[in-house]
Amino acid sequence: MTTRRNFLKASSLSLAGWALGEKLMAVPDAVPSVQQAGSFTEHAKLVWKDYSTKRPAEAARKFTSVAVENKLAEVKAHIKDPKLAWMFENCYPNTLDTTCEFKMKNGKPDTFVITGDIHAMWLRDSSAQVYPYVVLANRDEKLKTMLQGVINRQTDCVLIDPYANGFNEGPTGSEWESDHTEMKKELHERKWEIDSLCYTVRLAYHYWKETGDTTVFDSKWEQAQGTIYDTFVVQQRKNGNGPYTFGRTTSKQSDTLLNKYGNPVRPCGLIVSSFRPSDDACIFGFLIPSNLFAVTSLRQMAEMLRKIRNNTALADKCEALAQEVEEAIRKHGIVEHPEFGKIYAYEVDGYGGRNLMDDSNVPSLLGLPFLGCADMDDPLYQNTRRFTWSGWNPYFFKGKAAEGIGGPHIGPDYVWPMSLIMLAHTSKDEKEIRYCIETLRDTDAGTGFIHESFHKDNAMDYTRPWMAWANTLFGELIIRLQEEGRLKDLL
């Protein structure tokens, strides 16, 4: 089975020759619609000679929605820039086209959402991949049922193991079975990340708010919310390190934890996240963007538990925990920076240690308003935002092709398009938004898709041709900017 890192190694070799020019990998003049026989990856990385669609043929698409197709046609018709229109058409429906495996299971909708080039379901990625379609759920019963299936599947996943980040479709095992942790056959990977649980709450909450439908919020879902709450409390580590341990035999430092638990933390009300949204190990266990995400998620949980399940006791506990974590962030997660003033730290340990950086994966410091975790006009956020997009952030890179934020997951000099998308989502500056959109358009390496990362000096040197989260996130941004009347000469 392909892993993120092994795939990157392979694709780096195959893409190295692209620097010779687009024609090396160009498709013939007459190109039939891809039938998606097997993986979409090989098709995704082809360089197209024109702006004809790169979507799978209709019969080969994993899932289709009339509402999404109508939205796609409506938005594309108004996009003036032909390449942006082409990329939007390829990217916006990519999650449905290639990753949603829908079925009925025990009389209930069940949707397994793969990440793209890896046939496994990350709680984070799957939530983010389908989230842009939630606003259309009431226009298409089929789409609504598919989303119910994602929530049902995520409920099952949380109850299987709240500490796991990635899951298999069934009890098939994975190449990570040798990890030094309590692996189960249903797990693809078991890296404890706060945001994995938060993303399940975000999807459920906005689905409920958009549709008013409560059919998926049954006693099993309620049990999963209790599990999320309990896991957060245990990982405050007030009564010892808790049951979760992790180790991996690897040559990469960020793929494993020090002494099974990670670096020591001093209990202070914050929640430990052993790993970041990038699946890289935290240096200091209290990851501030994810703790802020937890505050938002706990309050959303409380609202749903009280109004849908009438579970006042658990709702009160969630609200109390949210308040405790928020106060701890104010006390331990905000630092005085010599250049930017008061900013959020990326990680702290409760002892006074702090890591000042930002990573491109969301939740990030840059992307806090996107997740409803900060007010975009808050001076503290604005200071932090300026820090993230500067040379003071060790993972901010600027080169001939672009500037943006990367992270340790790929390494130095690789910009992640996701950071450009987040910069645009959190901006009111037309010039800044234009830079993001034009850079995203011009760094696709001729493939018509958004990639995981690309080299700051050469966009032809990129990782992951098929990453549905990045593709759909781009589509979501284009729709939002068009609806707001931004960049009218482009969109």
Side-chain angles (χ1 to χ4, degrees):
M1 186 181 293
T2 303
T3 67
R4 294 185 187 216
R5 190 156 292 106
N6 289 341
F7 177 83
L8 298 181
K9 289 179 180 177
S11 64
S12 293
L13 292 174
S14 64
L15 295 170
W18 282 32
L20 297 176
E22 284 189 0
K23 293 184 178 179
L24 180 63
M25 292 287 290
V27 296
D29 289 328
V31 183
S33 297
V34 62
Q35 295 301 315
Q36 198 180 333
S39 174
F40 187 74
T41 304
E42 290 304 310
H43 174 74
K45 68 185 180 184
L46 291 174
V47 174
W48 233 230
K49 281 189 173 183
D50 57 26
Y51 294 147
S52 59
T53 185
K54 283 191 75 176
R55 297 179 66 186
E58 289 186 27
R61 294 171 191 170
K62 296 273 188 177
F63 189 89
T64 57
S65 161
V66 172
V68 171
E69 294 299 326
N70 288 344
K71 190 66 175 177
L72 172 60
E74 171 197 333
V75 173
K76 185 189 174 188
H78 291 90
I79 299 177
K80 299 177 181 64
D81 184 292
K83 186 174 182 183
L84 281 176
W86 175 60
M87 291 179 67
F88 175 76
E89 179 185 18
N90 296 332
C91 292
Y92 174 58
N94 188 245
T95 286
L96 299 185
D97 285 352
T98 65
T99 71
C100 287
E101 300 177 356
F102 172 80
K103 64 180 181 299
M104 298 298 292
K105 181 180 177 182
N106 299 323
K108 296 171 61 176
D110 176 73
T111 311
F112 187 76
V113 184
I114 67 173
T115 68
D117 51 58
I118 306 168
H119 197 274
M121 177 167 163
W122 266 254
L123 293 180
R124 169 185 55 255
D125 296 45
S126 60
S127 297
Q129 284 167 238
V130 301
Y131 180 83
Y133 309 129
V134 170
V135 294
L136 302 175
N138 278 338
R139 304 183 193 179
D140 184 347
E141 196 63 30
K142 183 181 173 185
L143 177 65
K144 188 175 180 179
T145 304
M146 185 278 289
L147 292 168
Q148 292 171 351
V150 180
I151 295 171
N152 287 335
R153 167 64 71 151
Q154 291 183 343
T155 294
D156 289 342
C157 289
V158 171
L159 293 176
I160 289 169
D161 189 344
Y163 287 107
N165 57 329
F167 293 80
N168 303 318
E169 198 280 332
T172 57
S174 82
E175 68 270 33
W176 301 123
E177 284 184 305
S178 61
D179 283 348
H180 312 302
T181 189
E182 294 183 19
M183 289 292 288
K184 298 176 181 178
K185 291 293 184 180
E186 293 88 351
L187 306 185
H188 178 80
E189 191 174 49
R190 192 174 188 253
K191 289 181 172 179
W192 160 235
E193 302 162 3
I194 291 174
D195 71 283
S196 292
L197 299 182
C198 292
Y199 266 107
T200 70
V201 176
R202 179 181 187 246
L203 177 62
Y205 180 79
H206 288 282
Y207 171 82
W208 169 54
K209 285 293 188 180
E210 187 67 37
T211 67
D213 175 36
T214 61
T215 57
V216 288
F217 304 114
D218 54 14
S219 59
K220 196 174 184 181
W221 174 85
E222 185 176 2
Q223 182 186 353
Q225 305 317 291
T227 299
I228 292 171
Y229 169 82
D230 290 342
T231 304
F232 285 168
V233 170
V234 168
Q235 288 304 318
Q236 287 182 296
R237 299 200 178 176
K238 295 179 180 179
N239 299 303
N241 287 325
Y244 177 76
T245 61
F246 185 90
R248 176 173 289 173
T249 302
T250 176
S251 61
K252 188 167 183 178
Q253 182 182 11
S254 61
D255 245 2
T256 191
L257 296 181
L258 177 69
N259 298 324
K260 301 189 299 182
Y261 293 101
N263 284 306
V265 296
R266 181 178 178 274
C268 60
L270 294 170
I271 304 167
V272 164
S273 189
S274 299
F275 291 86
R276 300 167 179 167
S278 60
D279 300 335
D280 294 330
C282 289
I283 296 173
F284 298 129
F286 296 134
L287 181 59
I288 297 303
S290 290
N291 271 263
L292 284 161
F293 197 10
V295 170
T296 299
S297 299
L298 284 162
R299 288 175 175 152
Q300 292 173 346
M301 285 169 60
E303 185 180 347
M304 288 188 287
L305 287 163
R306 186 171 283 115
K307 293 184 178 180
I308 300 173
R309 299 297 304 175
N310 197 29
N311 189 337
T312 303
L314 183 54
D316 288 346
K317 288 181 179 179
C318 289
E319 287 175 338
L321 181 57
Q323 184 66 27
E324 180 185 7
V325 175
E326 187 173 55
E327 290 174 358
I329 292 169
R330 285 199 292 265
K331 185 174 181 180
H332 299 278
I334 300 171
V335 302
E336 187 74 32
H337 191 277
E339 179 73 17
F340 301 102
K342 289 189 181 300
I343 66 170
Y344 286 115
Y346 187 68
E347 296 167 349
V348 299
D349 61 5
Y351 290 104
R354 59 268 190 101
N355 180 14
L356 303 186
M357 59 165 277
D358 198 21
D359 190 284
S360 52
N361 282 261
V362 183
S364 59
L365 293 175
L366 174 63
L368 289 174
F370 177 74
L371 295 175
C373 302
D375 186 329
M376 206 158 80
D377 295 323
D378 180 359
L380 176 60
Y381 169 72
Q382 284 297 322
N383 289 348
T384 306
R385 187 179 188 274
R386 288 187 297 115
F387 158 77
T388 66
W389 209 267
S390 78
W392 286 89
N393 175 9
Y395 290 100
F396 174 79
F397 309 117
K398 187 172 184 177
K400 297 175 183 177
E403 63 180 55
I405 301 170
H409 196 70
I410 302 302
D413 297 330
Y414 280 80
V415 171
W416 287 52
M418 197 173 296
S419 71
L420 290 156
I421 294 171
M422 284 301 109
L423 188 70
H425 264 303
T426 59
S427 180
K428 296 178 181 179
D429 184 328
E430 292 283 321
K431 183 178 179 181
E432 189 172 60
I433 295 170
R434 178 178 296 276
Y435 172 77
C436 294
I437 295 300
E438 291 179 345
T439 302
L440 289 164
R441 178 195 64 192
D442 298 340
T443 55
D444 72 318
T447 68
F449 290 106
I450 305 297
H451 304 128
E452 179 186 52
S453 72
F454 60 86
H455 194 278
K456 65 183 179 66
D457 293 320
N458 178 16
M460 303 300 280
D461 177 6
Y462 66 82
T463 60
R464 297 190 75 184
W466 178 25
M467 187 183 180
W469 180 11
N471 288 326
T472 314
L473 196 63
F474 169 75
E476 181 182 9
L477 174 63
I478 294 296
I479 290 174
R480 198 201 112 201
L481 294 177
Q482 190 181 94
E483 289 177 346
E484 291 178 356
R486 303 274 189 176
L487 308 183
K488 292 183 179 179
D489 59 319
L490 294 177
L491 305 177

